Amino acid sequence: MIRSLLAALALFGAMLASPAAQAADAAQPPAGTSMGAIQSANIFEVKPDASQDPGYADQTNAERAKVQPGNNAPNWRLVNSGQPGYSSLPRSEAPEAGVLIQRFVQYPGSKYTSAGEAWRQVRNNWLIPYGGSLLLIVLVAIALFYFTKGPLTVHGAETGRKIERFTYFERAAHWVNAAAFVVLAISGLIMAFGKFFLLPIMGSALFGWMTWLLKTAHNFVGPLFAVSLVVVFFTFIRDNLPTRDDMVWLRKGGGLFNGQHVPTGRFNAGEKLVFWGGVLFLGFIVIGSGLVLDRVIPGLVYTRGTMQIAHMVHAVATILMMCMFLGHIYLGTLGMKGAYKAMKTGYVDEAWAREHHELWYNDIKAGKIPAQRTQPAQKKPDTRPANA
């Protein structure tokens, strides 16, 4: 009985020891090999003078791996070259599909680096901080002018006699263009500066949804603004041609600072500067660059470089245009009493016309310009029967 018990214990111990022995044997490396059959390689110890070989700079990545394992410089040099690699996408639809990293360039205000990084430096280091500062300076200047000088008023009582300043078509063209400008300005400002003052308040989910909506509105309203700006230009070009009286107005600052009366035509020199500088020059630059960003110009190859340059031009022209239009909006609303009513109804009082546009008023009184340019609608004769 005791012998049987000892034999059973010996068999059980052998069974327990067998897996441990097998694990110990597996842990022992094979003869003639290092631990785990893994060897490290130091590229500085593997042919360190390989750079002296002829054609070293022209080696492919496979050739370089033979003399300096781990040195992938040829591969990354090819990636940074700007040369397109293989892509199954047609070049007509994706001209840069095979280009991972753009060529090195230096945009104004950036370092010499890849084009994408150069554009980012211009946007973040120049356009955003200095563009935003310029807009704030203009807003503060307008506020200071309003609180120190107040709105321009008419010295004298109204006569009750009205002069048509803007026809229905002129007002319609102006308001369509103004509405489009407001949508573009608000959406552009939020997309450019919103992450600094709205994102912390709204959160990323709501802010992302709002900016997507504004970007979509910006893209669709842009062409409307372009068409309406062209209509505005040809509608008002005749009365915005420069005259000798404009130099007098500019020399005296329009009387805005000293209160001196300066006679002008239908539009003064300040309004003409906004027309030629803001509407024509900056306006058409904004439109052209915006249509490129919308990718609606036929025949143009839309590469990343094209879009980057268009964005920088669009941003600079837009900021300058907004600064000019802020002054125009101020004088057309709070800055001059009666100006907003003129664009709303189309009519101004004779006293207002004489006060602010005396030369235009004199031409109307002399009969050179009709006081009523829109012919009143004729009443249709009543053809109903008398007993109807």
Side-chain angles (χ1 to χ4, degrees):
M1 182 67 179
I2 296 175
R3 288 181 180 180
S4 300
L5 182 59
L6 291 175
L9 290 175
L11 179 62
F12 181 71
M15 293 175 61
L16 292 177
S18 179
Q22 292 177 5
D25 291 341
Q28 296 297 324
T33 62
S34 62
M35 180 65 70
I38 298 177
Q39 291 182 347
S40 62
N42 190 332
I43 63 173
F44 295 106
E45 296 176 357
V46 182
K47 295 188 179 182
D49 56 345
S51 59
Q52 305 301 322
D53 295 343
Y56 175 81
D58 298 326
Q59 289 176 343
T60 64
N61 208 61
E63 294 170 339
R64 182 65 56 83
K66 294 179 181 179
V67 297
Q68 290 183 332
N71 186 344
N72 296 321
N75 182 59
W76 288 108
R77 188 179 298 114
L78 182 62
V79 171
N80 288 320
S81 67
Q83 297 297 327
Y86 170 76
S87 174
S88 60
L89 296 175
R91 289 185 59 85
S92 59
E93 297 180 8
E96 289 185 302
V99 180
L100 296 179
I101 301 177
Q102 294 175 269
R103 291 180 179 272
F104 274 43
V105 298
Q106 186 173 15
Y107 292 138
S110 76
K111 298 179 180 178
Y112 183 71
T113 180
S114 63
E117 172 62 17
W119 167 80
R120 190 191 71 85
Q121 291 178 5
V122 173
R123 181 187 184 276
N124 294 349
N125 298 339
W126 294 93
L127 298 180
I128 295 298
Y130 291 102
S133 299
L134 182 59
L135 289 171
L136 286 176
I137 290 172
V138 172
L139 287 173
V140 170
I142 291 175
L144 290 175
F145 185 85
Y146 175 77
F147 288 112
T148 55
K149 296 291 185 179
L152 302 177
T153 58
V154 176
H155 298 85
E158 292 188 353
T159 64
R161 296 183 293 272
K162 301 296 182 180
I163 297 176
E164 187 179 23
R165 180 160 174 78
F166 299 109
T167 65
Y168 178 81
F169 178 81
E170 291 172 338
R171 287 182 286 129
H174 174 272
W175 283 118
V176 170
N177 183 253
F181 173 80
V182 170
V183 173
L184 293 174
I186 294 176
S187 58
L189 288 173
I190 292 179
M191 286 189 290
F193 305 101
K195 69 177 184 179
F196 301 108
F197 58 91
L198 288 179
L199 179 58
I201 301 174
M202 303 176 64
S204 58
L206 183 58
F207 180 75
W209 177 85
M210 183 185 67
T211 50
W212 175 85
L213 184 64
L214 291 175
K215 179 187 72 70
T216 304
H218 197 94
N219 292 340
F220 279 95
V221 174
L224 173 63
F225 176 76
V227 174
S228 63
L229 196 72
V230 173
V231 174
V232 166
F233 175 76
F234 286 104
T235 300
F236 295 103
I237 184 174
R238 178 179 178 182
D239 290 320
N240 278 282
L241 296 175
T243 63
R244 288 180 297 180
D245 301 310
D246 295 332
M247 297 305 299
V248 178
W249 192 95
L250 291 173
R251 188 169 61 250
K252 296 182 178 181
L256 295 175
F257 301 97
N258 55 14
Q260 185 178 3
H261 177 67
V262 185
T264 65
R266 186 186 180 198
F267 298 117
N268 58 46
E271 293 171 305
K272 292 180 181 180
L273 284 176
V274 172
F275 180 84
W276 293 105
V279 175
L280 178 64
F281 180 69
L282 293 175
F284 282 91
I285 292 178
V286 169
I287 289 174
S289 57
L291 294 178
V292 172
L293 294 173
D294 270 347
R295 301 182 63 174
V296 296
I297 299 180
L300 184 64
V301 180
Y302 293 100
T303 63
R304 282 171 287 180
T306 301
M307 304 298 278
Q308 289 159 0
I309 294 174
H311 172 268
M312 292 184 289
V313 172
H314 189 75
V316 172
T318 300
I319 290 172
L320 296 177
M321 184 184 188
M322 290 178 63
C323 290
M324 294 188 70
F325 280 19
L326 282 174
H328 175 73
I329 294 172
Y330 165 72
L331 289 174
T333 54
L334 300 175
M336 179 182 293
K337 289 187 176 181
Y340 174 76
K341 187 177 180 181
M343 185 54 71
K344 179 182 177 181
T345 65
Y347 290 88
V348 295
D349 191 82
E350 281 190 0
W352 188 95
R354 183 173 58 250
E355 178 82 17
H356 299 296
H357 299 274
E358 184 178 358
L359 299 179
W360 174 63
Y361 172 77
N362 292 338
D363 288 340
I364 292 176
K365 299 305 289 185
K368 298 179 181 179
I369 303 174
Q372 177 72 32
R373 290 185 295 151
T374 301
Q375 298 300 323
Q378 295 182 353
K379 261 182 120 177
K380 292 183 180 180
D382 191 357
T383 57
R384 293 177 300 173
N387 58 353

